[in-house]
Amino acid sequence: MRFIFLIPDFDLGKTWKIQEKIAHLLRLKPLQRKVFLGMRTDVVFGGTLNIMRHCWIARNCGAEAVLATLRGVDTYGDRGIKNLPFIPWDDRRKEDVCIVPDYVTSRIDEVEGRAIAYLQVPLHTHADFNYQDSRVSLWTDSPHMEAICNATYPGKAAQIVPNIIDPELFPFIPQSQREPGVLFAFPRKNPEFIDATENAYRALGGKYWRIERIDGLSIGELAKEFQRPQGFLASAEVEGCALPPQESMASGIVVVGRQAKGANFCMEQGKTAAIAETPQEAAQRLIELENAEVRDRMSRHAYQAISRYFPDREPTEFWQKIIQQYKSPALTF
């Protein structure tokens, strides 16, 4: 028995991107579906990295665990997690346990054996597979997502699994040792919110914070850059597993901004983060976070809260239980 984690091929080629744009512009549903299920991406999303980390933890706990793509080749390189084995998706066996990400859960119906739908993103949570099958389990990552799963898959309970934060990649660096006033933001996630927050902050007379927009970095490059800022602006309206705010907390960076409709479930106002759902609120929070004592206290509380997701804590406990659970005699199909 193996645990097989399905992820998209990482591809910077142009051909499939052109097909994707044409399908979108012409609203060609069959072509859109074909491109979508082709499972290629030119962005390494946090949800994919989280799946890779689960594969890594499973292997560390003694399980035979592999990543699967349609081609079966590691095209991620430094953008993924090194030394994880890859296989083609079609090489799965009946006795394998297949973990399938939310945006392609329709592929679960291809699996002959046991399958797990890993539901990390609200926008991709759909009842497009036979979720009532006893061979199929549901995983998710937060109380917010659990409620969405309960509504989408009535009668089938979803298990909350821990995210995985790597403290070696994202070591804690105190606020006093970081670059004063540097505030990171990801323009890929609602740039309008970032721009409006910057303008509102200046209108309040704020002069301490300087927003740096970060995009297109590998996980290694991002980890290096995360050693610099004092703050992170969470701008997304809807999040999935919400790794950037959590990696910020592990690093000693104070998080200010949106809870992403509950997906940023580690954000606790005034303790682990400064929650602000509008640019005006975010600007006011940034004024408050000009205080060094407030920043230091919040960053240390956030670190303590997020440490539960370090690999040797809840993730290892989770995988030790999962391995024992699936070692039980396989179902007869």
Side-chain angles (χ1 to χ4, degrees), residues 216-249:
L217 301 182
S218 70
I219 185 63
E221 293 168 337
L222 180 64
K224 184 177 181 180
E225 287 298 307
F226 259 42
Q227 297 177 24
R228 297 177 46 229
Q230 289 186 317
F232 175 79
L233 180 61
S235 56
E237 183 177 358
V238 178
E239 269 283 13
C241 57
L243 286 185
Q246 294 171 46
E247 290 164 340
S248 295
M249 293 176 184

Short mmCIF file of all heavy atoms in Angstrom, two decimals, residues 216-249:
data_model
loop_
_atom_site.label_atom_id
_atom_site.label_comp_id
_atom_site.label_asym_id
_atom_site.label_seq_id
_atom_site.Cartn_x
_atom_site.Cartn_y
_atom_site.Cartn_z
N GLY A 216 6.06 35.83 -7.68
CA GLY A 216 6.85 35.02 -8.59
C GLY A 216 8.09 34.37 -7.99
O GLY A 216 8.97 33.94 -8.73
N LEU A 217 8.17 34.27 -6.67
CA LEU A 217 9.34 33.68 -6.03
C LEU A 217 9.15 32.20 -5.77
O LEU A 217 8.03 31.74 -5.51
CB LEU A 217 9.64 34.38 -4.70
CG LEU A 217 9.92 35.89 -4.75
CD1 LEU A 217 10.24 36.40 -3.35
CD2 LEU A 217 11.05 36.21 -5.72
N SER A 218 10.22 31.43 -5.83
CA SER A 218 10.17 30.04 -5.40
C SER A 218 10.05 30.01 -3.88
O SER A 218 10.26 31.02 -3.20
CB SER A 218 11.44 29.30 -5.83
OG SER A 218 12.56 29.77 -5.09
N ILE A 219 9.74 28.83 -3.33
CA ILE A 219 9.57 28.72 -1.89
C ILE A 219 10.88 29.05 -1.17
O ILE A 219 10.89 29.69 -0.12
CB ILE A 219 9.05 27.33 -1.47
CG1 ILE A 219 8.76 27.27 0.03
CG2 ILE A 219 10.02 26.24 -1.90
CD1 ILE A 219 7.67 28.20 0.49
N GLY A 220 12.02 28.64 -1.75
CA GLY A 220 13.31 28.95 -1.15
C GLY A 220 13.60 30.44 -1.18
O GLY A 220 14.10 31.01 -0.21
N GLU A 221 13.30 31.08 -2.32
CA GLU A 221 13.50 32.53 -2.44
C GLU A 221 12.59 33.29 -1.49
O GLU A 221 13.00 34.27 -0.85
CB GLU A 221 13.24 32.96 -3.88
CG GLU A 221 14.26 32.44 -4.87
CD GLU A 221 13.83 32.64 -6.32
OE1 GLU A 221 12.59 32.77 -6.56
OE2 GLU A 221 14.70 32.64 -7.20
N LEU A 222 11.33 32.82 -1.37
CA LEU A 222 10.39 33.47 -0.46
C LEU A 222 10.86 33.34 0.98
O LEU A 222 10.80 34.31 1.76
CB LEU A 222 9.00 32.85 -0.62
CG LEU A 222 7.91 33.45 0.28
CD1 LEU A 222 7.66 34.90 -0.07
CD2 LEU A 222 6.62 32.65 0.17
N ALA A 223 11.33 32.15 1.36
CA ALA A 223 11.80 31.95 2.73
C ALA A 223 12.95 32.89 3.05
O ALA A 223 13.02 33.45 4.16
CB ALA A 223 12.24 30.50 2.91
N LYS A 224 13.84 33.10 2.09
CA LYS A 224 14.95 34.03 2.31
C LYS A 224 14.44 35.45 2.48
O LYS A 224 14.88 36.19 3.38
CB LYS A 224 15.93 33.94 1.14
CG LYS A 224 17.18 34.80 1.32
CD LYS A 224 18.15 34.61 0.17
CE LYS A 224 19.40 35.47 0.36
NZ LYS A 224 20.36 35.28 -0.76
N GLU A 225 13.49 35.85 1.62
CA GLU A 225 12.94 37.20 1.70
C GLU A 225 12.17 37.41 3.00
O GLU A 225 12.12 38.52 3.53
CB GLU A 225 12.03 37.47 0.50
CG GLU A 225 12.76 37.69 -0.80
CD GLU A 225 13.67 38.91 -0.74
OE1 GLU A 225 13.19 39.99 -0.38
OE2 GLU A 225 14.87 38.77 -1.04
N PHE A 226 11.56 36.34 3.53
CA PHE A 226 10.78 36.45 4.76
C PHE A 226 11.65 36.74 5.98
O PHE A 226 11.12 36.98 7.08
CB PHE A 226 9.97 35.17 4.98
CG PHE A 226 8.52 35.31 4.58
CD1 PHE A 226 8.16 35.98 3.43
CD2 PHE A 226 7.50 34.77 5.36
CE1 PHE A 226 6.83 36.11 3.06
CE2 PHE A 226 6.17 34.90 5.01
CZ PHE A 226 5.83 35.57 3.85
N GLN A 227 12.94 36.75 5.84
CA GLN A 227 13.81 37.12 6.95
C GLN A 227 13.89 38.64 7.13
O GLN A 227 14.43 39.11 8.12
CB GLN A 227 15.22 36.55 6.72
CG GLN A 227 15.27 35.04 6.69
CD GLN A 227 16.65 34.49 6.38
OE1 GLN A 227 17.66 35.16 6.61
NE2 GLN A 227 16.71 33.28 5.86
N ARG A 228 13.30 39.39 6.19
CA ARG A 228 13.44 40.84 6.20
C ARG A 228 12.30 41.60 6.86
O ARG A 228 12.54 42.45 7.72
CB ARG A 228 13.61 41.34 4.76
CG ARG A 228 14.85 40.86 4.05
CD ARG A 228 14.86 41.38 2.62
NE ARG A 228 14.51 42.79 2.57
CZ ARG A 228 13.59 43.32 1.75
NH1 ARG A 228 12.93 42.55 0.90
NH2 ARG A 228 13.34 44.61 1.78
N PRO A 229 11.02 41.39 6.46
CA PRO A 229 9.96 42.34 6.85
C PRO A 229 9.53 42.22 8.30
O PRO A 229 9.70 41.18 8.93
CB PRO A 229 8.81 41.97 5.92
CG PRO A 229 8.99 40.51 5.69
CD PRO A 229 10.48 40.31 5.62
N GLN A 230 8.93 43.30 8.78
CA GLN A 230 8.30 43.28 10.10
C GLN A 230 6.82 42.94 10.01
O GLN A 230 6.23 42.49 10.98
CB GLN A 230 8.47 44.63 10.79
CG GLN A 230 9.89 44.93 11.24
CD GLN A 230 9.97 46.22 12.03
OE1 GLN A 230 9.35 47.23 11.67
NE2 GLN A 230 10.74 46.21 13.11
N GLY A 231 6.22 43.17 8.83
CA GLY A 231 4.79 42.95 8.71
C GLY A 231 4.41 42.26 7.41
O GLY A 231 5.16 42.28 6.43
N PHE A 232 3.22 41.63 7.42
CA PHE A 232 2.65 41.01 6.23
C PHE A 232 1.20 41.45 6.11
O PHE A 232 0.42 41.34 7.08
CB PHE A 232 2.72 39.48 6.31
CG PHE A 232 2.05 38.78 5.16
CD1 PHE A 232 2.68 38.67 3.93
CD2 PHE A 232 0.76 38.27 5.28
CE1 PHE A 232 2.06 38.05 2.86
CE2 PHE A 232 0.13 37.65 4.22
CZ PHE A 232 0.78 37.53 3.00
N LEU A 233 0.83 41.94 4.93
CA LEU A 233 -0.54 42.40 4.69
C LEU A 233 -1.33 41.29 4.01
O LEU A 233 -1.07 40.93 2.86
CB LEU A 233 -0.54 43.66 3.81
CG LEU A 233 -1.92 44.24 3.47
CD1 LEU A 233 -2.66 44.66 4.73
CD2 LEU A 233 -1.76 45.42 2.50
N ALA A 234 -2.29 40.70 4.72
CA ALA A 234 -3.14 39.64 4.18
C ALA A 234 -4.28 40.29 3.41
O ALA A 234 -5.17 40.90 4.01
CB ALA A 234 -3.67 38.76 5.30
N SER A 235 -4.27 40.17 2.10
CA SER A 235 -5.20 40.93 1.26
C SER A 235 -6.27 40.08 0.58
O SER A 235 -7.22 40.62 0.02
CB SER A 235 -4.42 41.68 0.18
OG SER A 235 -3.64 40.78 -0.60
N ALA A 236 -6.12 38.75 0.61
CA ALA A 236 -7.04 37.89 -0.13
C ALA A 236 -8.45 37.94 0.44
O ALA A 236 -8.64 37.94 1.66
CB ALA A 236 -6.53 36.45 -0.12
N GLU A 237 -9.44 37.95 -0.45
CA GLU A 237 -10.84 37.90 -0.01
C GLU A 237 -11.21 36.49 0.41
O GLU A 237 -11.96 36.29 1.36
CB GLU A 237 -11.76 38.38 -1.12
CG GLU A 237 -13.23 38.43 -0.71
CD GLU A 237 -14.12 38.98 -1.81
OE1 GLU A 237 -13.59 39.36 -2.88
OE2 GLU A 237 -15.35 39.03 -1.60
N VAL A 238 -10.69 35.50 -0.32
CA VAL A 238 -10.92 34.09 -0.01
C VAL A 238 -9.59 33.38 -0.05
O VAL A 238 -8.82 33.54 -1.01
CB VAL A 238 -11.90 33.44 -1.01
CG1 VAL A 238 -12.07 31.95 -0.69
CG2 VAL A 238 -13.24 34.14 -0.99
N GLU A 239 -9.28 32.60 0.97
CA GLU A 239 -8.03 31.86 1.02
C GLU A 239 -8.30 30.36 1.01
O GLU A 239 -9.43 29.92 1.22
CB GLU A 239 -7.24 32.21 2.29
CG GLU A 239 -6.28 33.36 2.12
CD GLU A 239 -5.00 32.97 1.39
OE1 GLU A 239 -4.95 31.87 0.81
OE2 GLU A 239 -4.05 33.77 1.39
N GLY A 240 -7.24 29.60 0.77
CA GLY A 240 -7.32 28.15 0.86
C GLY A 240 -6.73 27.71 2.18
O GLY A 240 -7.31 27.94 3.24
N CYS A 241 -5.55 27.12 2.12
CA CYS A 241 -4.91 26.70 3.38
C CYS A 241 -4.21 27.87 4.06
O CYS A 241 -3.76 27.74 5.20
CB CYS A 241 -3.94 25.55 3.15
SG CYS A 241 -2.65 25.90 1.96
N ALA A 242 -4.12 29.01 3.40
CA ALA A 242 -3.63 30.25 4.01
C ALA A 242 -2.22 30.11 4.59
O ALA A 242 -1.96 30.52 5.72
CB ALA A 242 -4.61 30.73 5.09
N LEU A 243 -1.30 29.57 3.80
CA LEU A 243 0.06 29.39 4.31
C LEU A 243 0.82 30.70 4.53
O LEU A 243 1.53 30.81 5.52
CB LEU A 243 0.85 28.48 3.36
CG LEU A 243 0.52 27.00 3.40
CD1 LEU A 243 1.49 26.23 2.50
CD2 LEU A 243 0.59 26.44 4.81
N PRO A 244 0.75 31.70 3.64
CA PRO A 244 1.57 32.90 3.86
C PRO A 244 1.38 33.57 5.22
O PRO A 244 2.37 33.90 5.88
CB PRO A 244 1.17 33.82 2.70
CG PRO A 244 0.78 32.88 1.61
CD PRO A 244 0.07 31.74 2.33
N PRO A 245 0.13 33.78 5.69
CA PRO A 245 0.00 34.36 7.03
C PRO A 245 0.59 33.46 8.12
O PRO A 245 1.18 33.95 9.08
CB PRO A 245 -1.52 34.52 7.20
CG PRO A 245 -2.07 34.54 5.83
CD PRO A 245 -1.19 33.63 5.03
N GLN A 246 0.44 32.15 7.95
CA GLN A 246 0.95 31.23 8.97
C GLN A 246 2.47 31.15 8.93
O GLN A 246 3.13 31.07 9.98
CB GLN A 246 0.32 29.85 8.78
CG GLN A 246 -1.18 29.87 9.03
CD GLN A 246 -1.86 28.58 8.64
OE1 GLN A 246 -1.40 27.50 8.97
NE2 GLN A 246 -2.97 28.68 7.92
N GLU A 247 3.06 31.18 7.74
CA GLU A 247 4.51 31.22 7.64
C GLU A 247 5.05 32.54 8.18
O GLU A 247 6.16 32.57 8.75
CB GLU A 247 4.92 30.99 6.19
CG GLU A 247 4.66 29.56 5.73
CD GLU A 247 4.68 29.37 4.23
OE1 GLU A 247 4.53 30.37 3.49
OE2 GLU A 247 4.83 28.21 3.79
N SER A 248 4.29 33.61 8.03
CA SER A 248 4.68 34.89 8.63
C SER A 248 4.73 34.77 10.14
O SER A 248 5.67 35.24 10.79
CB SER A 248 3.68 35.98 8.22
OG SER A 248 3.71 36.22 6.83
N MET A 249 3.70 34.15 10.72
CA MET A 249 3.66 33.98 12.17
C MET A 249 4.84 33.15 12.67
O MET A 249 5.43 33.46 13.70
CB MET A 249 2.34 33.31 12.57
CG MET A 249 1.12 34.16 12.33
SD MET A 249 -0.41 33.23 12.72
CE MET A 249 -1.65 34.44 12.23
#
